Amino acid sequence: MTRTASLGRCGVLALTGIIGTLWGATTALAEDANKADIEALKKSLVKYQDYTAAVRDLYLSTVGCVYYSGEKIPGSMDYPKGAMGIHFVNVPSVGQKLDPMKPNVLIYEPTKKGLKLVGVEWLVPLTPDIKAPPKLFGQTFMGPMEGHYPLIPREFVHYDLHAWLEDNPNGMFSPTNPKVKCNKAEFPMLEKPTKMMPGPM
């Protein structure tokens, strides 16, 4: 191998190493930024640990405690076994500009001590001007999908993103959490996976 070729090869290896290091650093910075955003989100939601504060701010309960068996149905969303809990929806905020610190939905788990805030959700209706799935915290929203019938009309075709404030073995942004239970709920609801709809994927 000539000296020139050897130097060229060393240069390529060095450049590859630098790119790899920069990529790793960029990924780490993105993860740190997301962690900081999530911590800020948690702080912004402290008052909603009391569900009556949520009701005063127009988060209204859909009453049913939703959970899934993990059943897979072709053409439907993939929901790992677990619960979504009881949704409190702020209807006036749906369809407005996404705010990472103001989710459209607060998710509560019924416990012996009452309702416990365990997660949140953002909803984006599918409209003709949407050209790509929305994103928050570096996460792409799931969907588009039908509304979660019977609690939400099927005609409400939308994207959504969940974020769990409690530990979730399925991942922080999974739609379901196996640690959340509906067995203390007055109205537990085993739902079928929601049907996927055409639109920007």
Side-chain angles (χ1 to χ4, degrees), residues 37-38 40-48 54 57-60 87-108 117-124 136-137 141 161-165:
D37 288 342
I38 293 301
L41 171 65
K42 288 179 179 179
K43 286 180 183 177
S44 75
L45 297 171
V46 167
K47 73 173 183 175
Y48 295 133
D57 285 351
L58 300 181
Y59 284 93
L60 304 180
H87 294 64
F88 280 59
V89 184
N90 185 287
V91 175
S93 71
V94 177
Q96 303 299 315
K97 184 178 179 181
L98 279 176
D99 185 337
M101 297 300 123
K102 291 184 180 177
N104 309 113
V105 182
L106 303 176
I107 299 172
Y108 290 86
L117 180 65
V118 292
V120 296
E121 182 180 2
W122 292 265
L123 299 170
V124 175
L136 273 182
F137 305 111
F141 280 48
L161 177 70
H162 292 76
W164 297 94
L165 310 176

Side-chain angles (χ1 to χ4, degrees), residues 64-132:
C65 186
V66 177
Y67 66 104
Y68 293 87
S69 67
E71 175 185 12
K72 295 185 184 300
I73 299 176
S76 296
M77 303 303 296
D78 182 12
Y79 294 144
K81 184 176 182 179
M84 284 186 184
I86 299 174
H87 294 64
F88 280 59
V89 184
N90 185 287
V91 175
S93 71
V94 177
Q96 303 299 315
K97 184 178 179 181
L98 279 176
D99 185 337
M101 297 300 123
K102 291 184 180 177
N104 309 113
V105 182
L106 303 176
I107 299 172
Y108 290 86
E109 178 184 21
T111 71
K112 287 181 180 179
K113 296 181 180 180
L115 295 179
K116 179 183 179 184
L117 180 65
V118 292
V120 296
E121 182 180 2
W122 292 265
L123 299 170
V124 175
L126 178 63
T127 60
D129 60 323
I130 291 182
K131 306 304 180 188

